[in-house]
Amino acid sequence: MKIFQEHNSRKSQAHKDIYAAYELAYTLVDLSAALLFVIGSVMFFYDSWQIPGTWCFLIGSILFGVKPTLRFVRELHYLAIGRKMDAGEQAPD
């Protein structure tokens, strides 16, 4: 099985469930990062809030880095399930 192939998410019900769980995590991380950037931007209007605003930017940046990591881990999860299915084991529910 090749990674990052669109059809991987539809191979079995287990693959569909994995896709849904990772998409939820991806969306939550994306939303959190965006919120932190907006909050950090507002904080930069006030001198006394610039340090917390900088922390919001840093944490938001880290979360933006988590996004591709989640996609890669999802693909590894697909590979692990695919190997179990190829070996004759039933995919986990």
Side-chain angles (χ1 to χ4, degrees):
M1 179 168 100
K2 293 182 181 180
I3 64 172
F4 295 106
Q5 301 295 314
E6 186 178 338
H7 67 278
N8 289 345
S9 65
R10 299 184 302 271
K11 283 189 158 198
S12 70
Q13 186 58 45
H15 286 79
K16 291 176 186 177
D17 293 343
I18 289 168
Y19 179 82
Y22 279 94
E23 278 300 301
L24 177 61
Y26 186 90
T27 301
L28 291 173
V29 166
D30 204 18
L31 180 62
S32 298
L35 283 172
L36 284 167
F37 265 78
V38 170
I39 291 167
S41 296
V42 171
M43 287 178 164
F44 257 71
F45 286 121
Y46 306 97
D47 290 338
S48 62
W49 285 89
Q50 284 187 0
I51 291 176
T54 302
W55 279 103
C56 286
F57 287 139
L58 177 62
I59 295 167
S61 296
I62 291 168
L63 289 176
F64 280 131
V66 168
K67 289 171 45 179
T69 304
L70 280 172
R71 292 249 163 103
F72 186 69
V73 170
R74 180 189 64 200
E75 294 299 317
L76 294 178
H77 203 159
Y78 287 157
L79 283 174
I81 291 213
R83 287 189 184 116
K84 287 181 183 179
M85 291 176 72
D86 290 344
E89 295 179 33
Q90 189 173 4
D93 293 329

